[in-house]
Amino acid sequence: MLTVGSTSRSPVVLDARAAAVQRPGWWGELLLGIGLFGIYLLVEAFPLPGREPRAHANGEALLAFERWMHLDFELPVNRWLADQGWIRVFANYEYAITYIASAIILLIWVHARHPVHYRSVRNSFVWLNLFALACFWLYPVAPPRMLEGAGFVDTVRLGHTFLSWGSPALQGANQLAAMPSLHVGWALWVSVVLARIRGGWAVQIVSAVHVAITFAVIIATGNHYWIDAAAAVVFIAAATWIAQVARPVDRVPASDTFFLHVETPAYPQHVGGLIMLDTTANPAGPTREWVQQAIRDKLPEMPRYAQRLSDYSPWRRQHWVPHPDIDWDWHVPDFDLTRPDGTPGGMGELHKLVARFQSEPLPRDRPLWRFAVVRGVEENTAAVISLVHHAVADGIGTISLMLELFDSPSLLDGLNETRRPNALQKAAAGAVGLAQLATDGRPKTRLPAGDPPDRRYATLQIPLDDVRELARKHGVRVTDLLLGGVAGALRRVAVAPLPESMLTSVTLMAAEPRPGAEGNVTAAVMVDIPLGDMPEAERLKRIARATKRLRTGTRVVASRFVQHTLAGLMPAFFHRWFARTVYNERFFNGTVSNMPGAAWQVDFRDFPLRTAFAIIPLAPGTPFTIGVLGWYGSFSMSATVDATLVDSVDGFLAEFRAVLAELA
């Protein structure tokens, strides 16, 4: 049984996980910086003809324009600073160092602490510098200190300021780049970024003081005209606007798009959880308004709940677009199963409701989720049916999203502590795994399935310790025991004759940190399960031998590589064909999933969670899917079967329990 830690969820943990996914690697950013510097060197190496005389002419023109406006205050300020001793030294070093230091520190801080904003911030900085470099190349401007006869003093050169053209190390620096002032530009850019991310009066005051000092310094040192600073404001506005407009759209990753492609009207691909609530403390149960408010409060942390898919195109992947007008009555419906005589409707009626939800595709013109409140299930028992499309999250992600609504620790927190293979190990495992996947074969025959399927859903609870003890007794894993029980039960209750074996898709979680609980980090491994007439202990031994492939990890790595990397290179029309070709009854007979659940007590306001059951979709053409959550001491099992294969899902679960009893 898979387990995870129960560390408490916090914004820091969430941000740390988001960092690992959304923040680019430092080496890539370093290469980008080197590339930007390379462009600067090209501008220096290949100037337009007559750069120096044009730069002086442009400088003279700017100074003449300022005089015409009676705003040429640079010279008296420069003359004053030249006689100020230590103040002049301070100004020189402020000019040489602080604008660079502040920009670098800000980029590192945003990269480390606010990765969600990093790409936009980095891109605006890149655009600002590209615009400036283009201006330096096309419109060189000599600074006031270089204009002959203007009377300016070069305070930086006078003080031999280290890290400037005043020191021998940087004698080759481009000094004909007054327009725009990148000193003011970088300092003001830092202030703009801080205002958008951090805010706060103290931060803004410190940043504004830095910008004001930088402006005063560039004027007093004779390095810029005030118009250069004004131009920097325009450049920052343009760079910030382009970074926002040109930022990549929020495309659906290839591994999530896969489930959009395989979905058909008969085989919806939404996953979810059936959550059982104890209403002893509040017999009225949770209200729809209560649940709606809980989701509203969490919308900032769950952006997919307020987004829908873009229209399908055969040439590019779909992306997420805002959908602010949420139809709350549809997304959070309310059901009361109480009979006319006032008695509870029972688990059977709840199971029928779940099967109905499983059969209804989620419309693509709205956010892909529903959260149904169900009262009158049993005495002191209510339920919530949580559904999210597979394009948003996998099974474990759906359960974690549900827990997030309940302010519970996340099932995904433990992923940050999971040891993951390095690049070389992944490459080796992927090569082996691809060869294994290519030779795994296909099912010998198909299991009977309706078109469309007549779904039946039911649940079963067994003490988790009993299941673990039984697995230890036979020297197998809990997943082996689950597969053995499923095979034995199908053998006993199937309506039609069964083949001697079935190829079963066993989903495994490929540990990976991710923001929130979005995306799919599962991979499927095919296992051939014997269905012939034999003692259940013998069937279990054969299954244990067959499931060794689950533990090598090579197929998981290869499956992830195909789903994420190769599929990401496919055009949308080809990816659609690929998904529909490989994900159906021609490649496997059914799905079995054993997932971690909460090992701690979870409460939703006044309602403790008794347990939760998985809701897993049928793959196209397959007649069964089994899901297990190891939930707070309970082996919580759910089964969705097509009536063409098994006419009584309750009978199937009863035989599953009988198989375990026989093994015990």
Side-chain angles (χ1 to χ4, degrees), residues 279-304:
T279 62
T280 302
N282 187 349
T287 64
R288 177 169 62 182
E289 293 73 23
W290 208 1
V291 174
Q292 288 177 356
Q293 189 58 51
I295 297 175
R296 281 192 178 98
D297 293 342
K298 292 291 184 178
L299 280 181
E301 300 173 29
M302 301 187 301
R304 299 293 178 249

Side-chain angles (χ1 to χ4, degrees), residues 83-290:
D83 296 329
Q84 296 307 309
W86 69 268
I87 297 179
R88 183 188 67 219
V89 174
F90 168 80
N92 290 346
Y93 279 100
E94 198 280 342
Y95 182 82
I97 296 173
T98 63
Y99 79 107
I100 297 176
S102 63
I104 292 175
I105 291 172
L106 180 80
L107 285 169
I108 294 173
W109 175 72
V110 176
H111 187 274
R113 300 299 299 274
H114 297 276
V116 173
H117 299 284
Y118 178 75
R119 292 183 187 275
S120 176
V121 168
R122 184 270 317 273
N123 290 346
S124 66
F125 186 68
V126 170
W127 280 112
L128 170 61
N129 285 278
L130 288 177
F131 288 155
L133 290 175
C135 188
F136 297 161
W137 191 59
L138 297 171
Y139 187 72
V141 174
R145 59 181 172 79
M146 294 183 69
L147 299 182
E148 294 184 8
F152 287 90
V153 177
D154 188 343
T155 64
V156 174
R157 187 180 297 277
L158 180 65
H160 303 286
T161 306
F162 185 64
L163 297 178
S164 75
W165 57 85
S167 59
L170 292 177
Q171 284 294 331
N174 179 15
Q175 298 184 54
L176 304 177
M179 171 68 75
S181 169
L182 279 185
H183 291 74
V184 169
W186 285 17
L188 185 57
W189 172 81
V190 168
S191 186
V192 170
V193 171
L194 287 174
R196 296 179 61 195
I197 294 179
R198 188 63 178 265
W201 284 105
V203 172
Q204 287 307 296
I205 289 173
V206 171
S207 184
V209 168
H210 176 228
V211 173
I213 291 176
T214 302
F215 175 75
V217 164
I218 67 166
I219 299 298
T221 56
N223 282 290
H224 288 279
Y225 314 90
W226 65 262
I227 293 179
D228 300 336
V233 175
V234 176
F235 278 52
I236 291 171
T240 303
W241 179 79
I242 288 180
Q244 289 298 310
V245 172
R247 62 183 175 181
V249 296
D250 192 5
R251 289 191 176 91
V252 184
S255 58
D256 301 340
T257 304
F258 183 90
F259 294 100
L260 295 173
H261 290 329
V262 302
E263 184 173 62
T264 69
Y267 289 93
Q269 294 300 304
H270 43 265
V271 294
L274 173 60
I275 307 150
M276 308 306 299
L277 301 175
D278 186 341
T279 62
T280 302
N282 187 349
T287 64
R288 177 169 62 182
E289 293 73 23
W290 208 1

Side-chain angles (χ1 to χ4, degrees), residues 25 107 142 199 420 451 549 610 630:
L107 285 169
R420 290 179 291 278
D451 185 21
R549 61 172 56 192
R610 288 179 173 167

Side-chain angles (χ1 to χ4, degrees), residues 279 344 377-381 610:
T279 62
V377 179
E378 289 182 333
E379 192 71 29
N380 296 325
T381 303
R610 288 179 173 167

Side-chain angles (χ1 to χ4, degrees), residues 77 122 424 580 622 633:
V77 176
R122 184 270 317 273
L424 183 60
R580 294 189 170 190
T622 65

Side-chain angles (χ1 to χ4, degrees), residues 477-525:
R477 295 180 177 240
V478 169
T479 299
D480 301 334
L481 199 61
L482 171 61
L483 292 169
V486 168
L490 282 178
R491 175 73 186 178
R492 299 178 186 194
V493 302
V495 175
L498 296 177
E500 287 300 305
S501 67
M502 63 178 180
L503 201 59
T504 306
S505 173
V506 181
T507 54
L508 301 176
M509 187 167 66
E512 209 174 90
R514 48 183 165 157
E518 295 172 10
N520 288 270
V521 296
T522 55
V525 177

